[in-house]
Amino acid sequence: MASPTVKLNSGHQMPVVGFGLWKVGNDNAADQVYNAIKQGYRLFDGACDYGNEVESGQGVARAIKEGIVKRSDLFLVSKLWNSFHGRNEVEPICKKQLADWGIDYFDLYIMHFPIALEYVDPSVRYPPGFQYDGKSEVRPGKASIQETWQALESVADKGLAKSIGISNFQGSLILDLLRYARIRPATLQIEHHPYLQQPRLVELAQKEGLAVTAYSSFGPQSFLEIEVQEAKDTPLLLENPTITKIAQAHGKTPAQVLLRWSTQRGVAVIPKSNNPDRLKQNLDVTSFDLGSADMAEIAKLDRKLRFNDPLNYGVPLPIFA
């Protein structure tokens, strides 16, 4: 089973359903990527900050070597971390990430957060994380979003990335970026689930021709293992009575309903699983439709509740204030 695709404003086709690599362990990332490719996944969403790009690339290389896929069949995504936003830092770190993956280009390279932190040399610590000293000190960088975006445009010009995009941007930043962007962002990646629906942001991005991708489609589930208190205090979406009732009515799992809710709104998804059955189920989220009554009931679940906020991790960066 293959995912349907959406045509980006860059002219390239992006799968609507992909595999997210956040919190995939180094010890099994290669196998998870390889097995997901065997199941039909073609988009893999990685990042410098995930710390598993070498292993993810090994899974890709294994699948290519065995003839399961060609490089051109895959849509490989990575992200620029905050510590490398300077105009002279973007291309070198992109090349390092490509080398880690063992590939020549990214299909999509994304600015991970709209904030710059002071540069940390990869030879000192990699990935650097939010803290300059690796412990508690957070040092803002001096690069503006415009400077970083223009460096990303140069990366695209040189063929290191076929498309470039943004993540964790709010409306005013998007509108500002579009004033000076020579190459428009192809995508916007945001936290998006029934507890944080962000309809106006989704509408703005889609109106401006940016494809929207949801991360953390299952809401608090992804944040329990990293001890985010807001997630601990919130009922699981996978057990929410509204979601389970709709799932039963359609003969689907709650996870499939949550993913279909996004894709039916024109939002791509990047779930992950190491369970073969769930891998298949998560890929099959465009073959059925939720009714208008289902969508209306899910709309009522919106709490405007964000889990992926640096403040929730004790990092004093109020990005979403």
Side-chain angles (χ1 to χ4, degrees):
M1 178 183 298
S3 166
T5 62
V6 59
K7 187 175 182 179
L8 303 178
N9 60 27
S10 58
H12 300 288
Q13 297 286 337
M14 182 183 80
V16 171
V17 183
F19 188 98
L21 293 165
W22 182 46
K23 296 195 286 88
V24 174
N26 297 86
D27 56 342
N28 60 13
D31 287 341
Q32 286 207 39
V33 169
Y34 172 78
N35 290 329
I37 291 173
K38 289 180 68 176
Q39 291 281 5
Y41 286 82
R42 295 296 178 262
L43 184 153
F44 292 87
D45 181 83
C48 157
D49 191 51
Y50 302 166
N52 56 14
E53 294 195 291
V54 170
E55 295 80 6
S56 299
Q58 291 169 350
V60 166
R62 178 181 172 192
I64 292 174
K65 183 177 180 181
E66 293 183 9
I68 300 171
V69 290
K70 297 178 291 186
R71 170 65 184 93
S72 58
D73 296 327
L74 299 173
F75 194 98
L76 302 180
V77 183
S78 192
K79 304 180 189 72
L80 172 74
W81 186 242
N82 313 324
S83 307
F84 308 110
H85 274 209
R87 63 170 52 88
N88 296 321
E89 299 158 5
V90 174
E91 182 177 331
I93 204 65
C94 179
K95 288 180 175 178
K96 171 181 167 41
Q97 292 177 256
L98 287 169
D100 286 348
W101 274 91
I103 57 178
D104 297 325
Y105 65 90
F106 287 121
D107 294 276
L108 175 63
Y109 194 50
I110 295 172
M111 191 188 310
H112 204 151
F113 282 96
I115 188 168
L117 296 177
E118 189 166 322
Y119 177 75
V120 176
D121 192 298
S123 65
V124 174
R125 190 178 65 259
Y126 188 86
F130 279 105
Q131 292 82 7
Y132 178 78
D133 57 359
K135 298 177 182 178
S136 60
E137 184 183 5
V138 176
R139 292 189 186 179
K142 295 182 179 180
S144 66
I145 292 174
Q146 181 171 2
E147 176 183 330
T148 305
W149 187 253
Q150 289 171 343
L152 283 169
E153 290 174 327
S154 177
V155 162
D157 290 338
K158 295 178 180 179
L160 301 176
K162 290 189 173 182
S163 301
I164 50 178
I166 53 179
S167 180
N168 297 305
F169 274 57
Q170 298 296 286
S172 58
L173 290 179
I174 294 171
L175 292 171
D176 185 65
L177 187 153
L178 293 176
R179 290 175 56 238
Y180 54 76
R182 177 171 54 84
I183 300 175
R184 292 170 72 88
T187 65
L188 168 68
Q189 189 173 124
I190 56 171
E191 182 178 346
H192 177 266
H193 45 74
Y195 289 154
L196 183 67
Q197 300 187 19
Q198 306 193 84
R200 291 181 179 178
L201 180 60
V202 172
E203 181 182 7
L204 168 64
Q206 292 175 339
K207 180 181 177 181
E208 293 292 345
L210 283 66
V212 180
T213 298
Y215 66 76
S216 300
S217 294
F218 305 145
Q221 187 77 29
S222 299
F223 299 89
L224 292 175
E225 64 190 76
I226 54 176
E227 302 291 323
V228 172
Q229 189 61 46
E230 286 77 4
K232 293 180 181 180
D233 295 338
T234 305
L236 294 178
L237 273 170
L238 293 171
E239 298 175 0
N240 182 281
T242 297
I243 301 300
T244 57
K245 180 182 178 181
I246 293 172
Q248 290 171 358
H250 288 272
K252 300 295 181 180
T253 68
Q256 286 176 303
V257 169
L258 291 170
L259 296 172
R260 183 54 179 144
W261 171 77
S262 283
T263 59
Q264 198 162 315
R265 300 176 79 211
V267 177
V269 292
I270 46 173
K272 72 170 186 292
S273 177
N274 56 11
N275 179 290
D277 290 335
R278 285 197 291 271
L279 277 174
K280 292 179 182 178
Q281 292 166 358
N282 289 349
L283 199 57
D284 179 24
V285 292
T286 56
S287 64
F288 68 99
D289 290 329
L290 301 177
S292 57
D294 298 330
M295 299 295 282
E297 285 300 305
I298 295 175
K300 296 176 184 177
L301 299 179
D302 195 0
R303 300 184 179 192
K304 299 177 176 57
L305 181 57
R306 185 184 306 278
F307 301 106
N308 190 34
D309 187 329
L311 296 177
N312 291 345
Y313 310 133
V315 178
L317 291 172
I319 295 172
F320 300 107

